[in-house]
Amino acid sequence: MQTELFNAKTQKENGTGYAGRVIRAGGLVVFPTETVYGLGANGLDGEAVLKIFEAKGRPADNPLILHIAKKSDVKPLWRHVPEIAKRLMDEFWPGPLTLIYLKSDIVPEEVTAGLDTVAVRMPEHRTALALIRAAGVPIAAPSANLSGKPSPTRLEHVLEDMDGRADVIIDGGPCSVGVESTVLSLVGAPTILRPGGVTREMLEAVIGPVRVANAVLNPLGEHETAASPGMKYRHYAPDCEVIVAEGSPRAAAAIINREYSRAEREGKNCVIFATEQTKGYYKGKKYVIIGDRDMPGTLCASLFAALRDDSGGVDCIFAEAVPAEKQGLAYMNRLLRASGFTVLRS
Ligand code: AMP
Ligand code: MG
C-alpha cells in the first residue's frame, strides 16, 4: 500500500478533509492527538475496524476507543449517559480521559471485542478534532504502533511502524502528553484501568474515591482476568532490556551505577534514563535526561520517544522508579510494562 503523507502544520490543505473521506470510505488514517498518534478507522464500520487489527498485529480480544468531536456525540454510543460521566466530561473533555460505559446497539462488536461496554474519548488536538468532524463518524483508534512496541509520539516513529500499512499519515509534530489517555470504567465503582494524563487525584477532586485496577502496577497472576484486556499483553517493549531501580533517588542511582558498570564489563552498550534531580550521580556514564521528578508529566512526555530512540544499538536501559502519584502513576505503569517488571531494589 502507498501511504500518503500530509503535514498539519505547514500545509494549507492539511489533509483532514481528504483523510475524513478516506475514513468514510473504509480506509485507515494515522493522525496526531495530544496523547500519542492514533491509527483510525470508521468506528461504526466493523469491516473497516478489522483493518486496524490487521495493520497493527493487534490481538482480536483487545477493544478500541471511539474518538468523538463533541460531547453530545457520546449519546448514540452508550445506552444512556450516567450523571457521573456528565460531570467528568464537563471537567476533562476535550482531553486525555477515556470513559467506559454500556454500549448501544450501533457500536459494532469489532470495536468492543465482544464486550457489552465501549470506551469513548473526545481528544483536544485540533487536527484530531478536524479529522473526526470531516469524517462525520466516531473514529475507532488505538495507538499507531505495531502491537507490543512503544506508542509513537513522533512522526519518525509512526513511519517506522505504519508506512505502507495506512492509507494516510498526518504529521502533527510531537505529541504533548506522550502517554495514552487515562481509561476510567464507570461500570460499577469508578476504576482506572489505565493511568494517563488525567490523574487519579484530578478525578477524585471531581467525583470522590477512584479505584486503580491491580494490573496497573502489578503483573497479572496466572489465573487473574484483566478488567482491561489490553493489560494482559507485553507492551511498550523496545528492542533491548529495560531495568528499573527502586528506592530513594540516591539509592536508585547507586543500584544503577553498580549494574551499569557490571553490564559494561560484559560488553553491553547501556544508557541511563536520568532526571534533572539525579543527573549529577551519573558522571562519566551515558545518560539522557527524561524529565523532572517533581513534574512527572515531563517524564511521561519523553518516555516513549526515549524508549524508541535508544533502542538502536543499545542493549540495556536503566531507569529510576518514581513515586506512583499524579502523572507518576502513568509513568510507572508504562515503564514497568516496558521492563517486563524487571525491578531491582537495594
Ligand atoms: P489503545 O487503543 O492502544 O490506546 O488501548 C486501549 C485500551 O483501553 C486497552 O488497554 C483496552 O484494553 C482498553 N479498553 C478499550 N475498551 C475497553 C472496554 N470496553 N473495557 C475495558 N477496557 C477497554
Ligand atoms: Mg496501544
Side-chain angles (χ1 to χ4, degrees), residues 154-178:
R154 310 277 187 270
L155 179 71
E156 67 258 36
H157 302 147
V158 167
L159 291 172
E160 263 172 35
D161 285 11
M162 287 299 146
D163 196 12
R165 290 175 185 266
D167 297 286
V168 175
I169 293 176
I170 305 176
D171 173 11
C175 302
S176 58
V177 177

Side-chain angles (χ1 to χ4, degrees), residues 256 271-282 286-293 299 302 318-320 331:
I256 288 175
V271 66
I272 298 165
F273 285 5
T275 58
E276 289 297 345
Q277 286 80 0
T278 56
K279 61 189 180 203
Y281 292 127
Y282 303 119
K286 196 170 140 202
Y287 67 84
V288 291
I289 298 171
I290 290 290
D292 186 322
R293 292 176 70 99
L299 306 172
S302 49
F318 292 103
E320 303 156 14
Y331 181 72

Side-chain angles (χ1 to χ4, degrees), residues 104-292:
S104 73
D105 292 338
I106 68 163
V107 178
E109 62 179 12
E110 289 83 355
V111 169
T112 64
L115 297 175
D116 61 358
T117 55
V118 67
V120 184
R121 166 167 115 87
M122 178 181 171
E124 193 170 23
H125 198 288
R126 283 177 51 191
T127 307
L129 290 171
L131 174 67
I132 302 163
R133 263 185 244 116
V137 289
I139 295 184
S143 47
N145 51 288
L146 294 175
S147 217
K149 296 233 285 174
S151 301
T153 54
R154 310 277 187 270
L155 179 71
E156 67 258 36
H157 302 147
V158 167
L159 291 172
E160 263 172 35
D161 285 11
M162 287 299 146
D163 196 12
R165 290 175 185 266
D167 297 286
V168 175
I169 293 176
I170 305 176
D171 173 11
C175 302
S176 58
V177 177
V179 293
E180 305 87 342
S181 59
T182 304
V183 176
L184 182 73
S185 171
L186 297 176
V187 182
T191 306
I192 293 175
L193 304 183
R194 178 179 73 189
V198 174
T199 65
R200 179 188 202 172
E201 292 83 352
M202 290 158 72
L203 294 168
E204 290 191 330
V206 177
I207 57 166
V210 169
R211 297 184 190 180
V212 176
N214 181 52
V216 166
L217 290 179
N218 300 290
L220 268 190
E222 211 179 310
H223 301 295
E224 219 176 334
T225 52
S228 183
M231 287 294 183
K232 67 179 186 233
Y233 298 106
R234 175 100 200 262
H235 258 136
Y236 319 123
D239 306 323
C240 66
E241 240 182 314
V242 179
I243 295 163
V244 181
E246 270 189 0
S248 66
R250 179 191 288 270
I255 296 171
I256 288 175
N257 278 323
R258 187 190 70 213
E259 293 301 317
Y260 183 107
S261 301
R262 188 204 308 260
E264 227 180 17
R265 281 197 299 276
E266 289 169 7
K268 288 185 184 166
N269 182 13
C270 304
V271 66
I272 298 165
F273 285 5
T275 58
E276 289 297 345
Q277 286 80 0
T278 56
K279 61 189 180 203
Y281 292 127
Y282 303 119
K283 293 213 178 82
K285 302 212 164 54
K286 196 170 140 202
Y287 67 84
V288 291
I289 298 171
I290 290 290
D292 186 322

